[in-house]
Amino acid sequence: MKKIFTLCLAGALALAATACDDDDDKDGGYSGKMTVSGQTEEVKSALYYEYATDGGDEAEIDLYLFKEAFSAMPNAEPSFYVNLEISESLNGKTVDLTKPLSQGSTPRPYLYINAVGSGKDLVIDYYDNKIDVTDDATVTAGSMTATRNGDNITVKLSVTLSDGNSLSVDWKGKATKVTSQK
């Protein structure tokens, strides 16, 4: 009987250790950081919109990563966040951010990156076979991989601009879908 009790206790402890070791459950299911021009913050909330194909552009998600805990989009613009609009066809692919997206197909792929922090507002917009960057800077180095499976999203992003600004995101978690009209 003592042997059975010991085996049951060992099994229960192993199960408890496994349940407590789930990284996706801490901090509301978020794991990772984002850095905008030297300022690093932990991601405390992630919200996204989902848009169908529209006007020749692909279906996309519009992901917002915040350093504050939000359950809905904030009424006022936060002082630090990262926003990514990512076409469906880019899901799971590594994108070279120094090159424009190929626009040879319809619907067209689209990528928009906006980061606010360190007193900066960085915007990088990929469309019509070109890259528009804030303050006429250029992207000197960078790549992004974003993977989405339902509400579970992973983003690895690193970009350096010619004006010395930079952005990086290394985040995974379950984002909250919100509804809005674009």
Side-chain angles (χ1 to χ4, degrees):
M1 185 69 159
K2 187 176 181 181
K3 194 176 204 178
I4 292 173
F5 176 76
T6 304
L7 287 172
C8 288
L9 180 61
L13 289 173
L15 183 60
T18 302
C20 292
D21 194 29
D22 187 359
D23 286 346
D24 289 340
D25 287 339
K26 65 182 176 182
D27 298 326
Y30 308 111
S31 173
K33 298 189 182 312
M34 50 190 167
T35 302
V36 178
S37 293
Q39 180 182 351
T40 301
E41 299 290 344
E42 186 175 333
V43 176
K44 296 284 177 98
S45 60
L47 306 173
Y48 77 96
Y49 298 104
E50 192 170 41
Y51 297 105
T53 301
D54 181 33
D57 291 329
E58 288 184 354
E60 66 181 53
I61 65 164
D62 190 358
L63 176 67
Y64 290 83
L65 303 174
F66 298 105
K67 72 174 187 167
E68 295 93 357
F70 294 118
S71 58
M73 288 301 287
N75 291 327
E77 183 178 38
S79 62
F80 192 101
Y81 68 93
V82 173
N83 168 227
L84 304 167
E85 292 181 34
I86 307 166
S87 284
E88 194 173 74
S89 69
L90 301 179
N91 186 28
K93 295 181 180 170
T94 299
V95 178
D96 180 348
L97 298 177
T98 64
K99 298 178 181 172
L101 296 175
S102 172
Q103 300 289 314
S105 63
T106 302
R108 295 179 303 268
Y110 180 70
L111 177 61
Y112 173 83
I113 301 169
N114 182 27
V116 173
S118 300
K120 306 283 183 186
D121 185 358
L122 308 178
V123 175
I124 309 170
D125 198 359
Y126 294 81
Y127 67 97
D128 294 335
N129 286 318
K130 64 181 178 179
I131 306 170
D132 271 347
V133 182
T134 306
D135 298 328
D136 295 322
T138 58
V139 177
T140 59
S143 66
M144 180 194 78
T145 305
T147 305
R148 175 177 174 232
N149 183 5
D151 293 339
N152 297 307
I153 300 172
T154 301
V155 176
K156 292 197 180 292
L157 165 71
S158 176
V159 65
T160 304
L161 302 178
S162 60
D163 63 4
N165 287 303
S166 63
L167 167 65
S168 67
V169 175
D170 188 359
W171 177 81
K172 71 176 182 174
K174 186 172 184 171
T176 301
K177 184 178 179 180
V178 292
T179 57
S180 172
Q181 302 224 349
K182 195 171 184 179

